[in-house]
Amino acid sequence: MTATAPDWDAVLNQVRNVYERLPFNQLLGLEVDHLEAERAGFRFDRRDELVGNFIQGILHGGVISAVLDTTGGMMATVSALGRMQANGSTAEEMAASFARYGTIDMRVDYLRPGRGERFVSSAAIMRTGRTVAVTRMELSNEAGDLIAVGAGAYKIG
């Protein structure tokens, strides 16, 4: 019996489950907001533990950076697994590949202080190659104010 590539919706559900269950992502309070082949993102609420400047009540820059990195990583994962699924890879091959993923490089531009009560991150894929995926990420508050943008390179193979 030959193993077949898993259904794309099943792949997306697995990615969602993995990213929402990662302990660090739970610490940040990240919940998947959207997850598609070309776009992915999280939502999270402001909590005192995430604030870096208590006088102004703004998010810590490290929290912003971590959220952008995680968002870019999830987008790179979806893109890489999408390529594998299109090429007929099995669920086992995809899982083995996922275990080797990681951040290579990331740049963050902080555009304004992280004020707000609810935040949404989003990432889009810029390019996916055999071993590296490059993403563009954004973080906004509930008013739609763009707080930070980033670009990340991720090892995917």
Side-chain angles (χ1 to χ4, degrees), residues 14-26 30:
Q14 277 294 100
V15 170
R16 174 186 300 271
N17 288 336
V18 167
Y19 274 87
E20 285 187 342
R21 290 182 180 172
L22 288 171
F24 186 67
N25 295 352
Q26 290 180 346
L30 299 182

Side-chain angles (χ1 to χ4, degrees), residues 1-4 90:
M1 184 165 155
T2 306
T4 59
T90 66

Side-chain angles (χ1 to χ4, degrees), residues 106-150:
M106 187 178 73
R107 174 191 169 92
V108 175
D109 292 314
Y110 299 93
L111 305 177
R112 61 179 44 93
R115 290 190 180 91
E117 294 301 318
R118 188 138 178 98
F119 301 91
V120 176
S121 65
S122 189
I125 199 74
M126 293 171 61
R127 183 179 191 286
T128 303
R130 260 186 337 102
T131 59
V132 176
V134 180
T135 66
R136 175 96 168 119
M137 302 87 73
E138 297 182 349
L139 179 69
S140 299
N141 64 14
E142 72 275 9
D145 298 327
L146 188 59
I147 292 166
V149 297

